[in-house]
Every structure is written in structure tokens, then in C-alpha cells.
Amino acid sequence: MDKWLEALAAFGGFAAIGILIDLAMYNSEKAKLKAKLEDWWLRFTDVKWSNFGRKESELAVQILDRWAGPRLWSRKRWQFSVAVAAGTFALTFC
């Protein structure tokens, strides 16, 4: 029973943090967040179990193209690759 009370307290704490974040947000920020959540909802409404992997990989490629550039041998892609490798090395070293 003690574990249940600890879990309930943790959820209550997360709810309190959510309430504080909601109160701290401006109405324009709330509208942007709502629009972003609706966009994600619409993206995943057509996803079924049969095409889940394909849709997930298409989204990953879109994000990678936005961050690292669409061309494989571009300078931006090399800089991104070096930065990711350096970050991974630093985390592994620490």
C-alpha cells in the first residue's frame, strides 16, 4: 500500500507541475502548442499497424533533412554528423 501512495504522490506532483506550466503560459503560446498537438494528431490518424514503420521512418527522414540538410554529401550534413559523433563521444567518455 505504501508503494501506491508514493506513486499517487508522484502523479500529484506531476499534475501540480503541469498546472504551474499551464498558468505560466501566455494565450498565444497555448494556441501554438494546441496547433502543434493538432498537427501531430492529424499526422498519426492515418497510421495503421501495417504502415507504422514506413510512416515513422518518413518522419525521421524529414526531421534529419531539416536539421542536417537534404543532400547526403553537403557541408551541413558533415557538420551535423561530426557534432553528433562528438556529442556521443563526450557522453560516452563522461
Side-chain angles (χ1 to χ4, degrees), residues 9-58:
F11 284 128
F14 289 135
I17 291 170
I19 290 170
L20 290 174
I21 290 172
D22 187 52
L23 289 174
M25 289 176 66
Y26 294 116
N27 287 337
S28 61
E29 292 173 338
K30 288 181 187 179
K32 288 179 187 176
L33 179 62
K34 183 178 178 183
K36 191 169 189 172
L37 290 173
E38 288 174 351
D39 180 47
W40 276 94
W41 181 264
L42 290 174
R43 280 187 189 192
F44 287 107
T45 53
D46 63 338
V47 175
K48 307 291 184 246
W49 281 109
S50 61
N51 66 357
F52 177 74
R54 185 172 48 85
K55 292 287 187 179
E56 186 179 15
S57 65
E58 286 174 359

Side-chain angles (χ1 to χ4, degrees), residues 64-65 68-72 74-81:
L64 183 63
D65 285 347
R71 292 184 48 229
L72 182 62
S74 66
R75 183 175 186 199
K76 187 177 180 181
R77 175 94 33 141
W78 278 99
Q79 289 173 340
F80 178 78
S81 299

